[in-house]
Amino acid sequence: MSIEQIDKTYHGMVSKNVRTPSARMLVVDGTHTDSPAAAAGLRPGDVILKVGETETIDGADWERALLGGTAGQKYEVTFKRSDKVEKTALT
């Protein structure tokens, strides 16, 4: 069951958990067309670092950070693109 099924919100990000002996990370695989994630500018290859104050190393952290939010609520998402750390707003 996904967060969208629990609280009727939708982010539209498709991601994968990447685990290596030296790192764990959540990587954007893509976004659904016209979704909040697409509007926030998230792109394939972006590594999600934080949602608000919640550090994010896998999909469970991502969903947990958004759990309990309401439609229209803004979240600051910190991510790494190439070697640069950036922030965006996910609504």
Side-chain angles (χ1 to χ4, degrees), residues 5-69:
Q5 295 168 319
I6 295 170
D7 65 8
K8 308 298 183 213
T9 61
Y10 169 69
H11 53 70
M13 182 178 82
V14 179
S15 62
K16 63 182 172 187
N17 295 326
V18 176
R19 292 182 174 92
T20 67
S22 60
R24 290 178 57 194
M25 64 188 109
L26 179 65
V27 179
V28 177
D29 252 358
T31 59
H32 295 198
T33 304
D34 298 324
S35 69
L42 295 174
R43 295 190 283 194
D46 290 346
V47 177
I48 306 297
L49 302 174
K50 289 174 73 173
V51 178
E53 296 301 315
T54 304
E55 290 192 27
T56 308
I57 61 170
D58 60 24
D61 291 338
W62 169 263
E63 298 291 348
R64 192 172 22 260
L66 300 176
L67 188 63

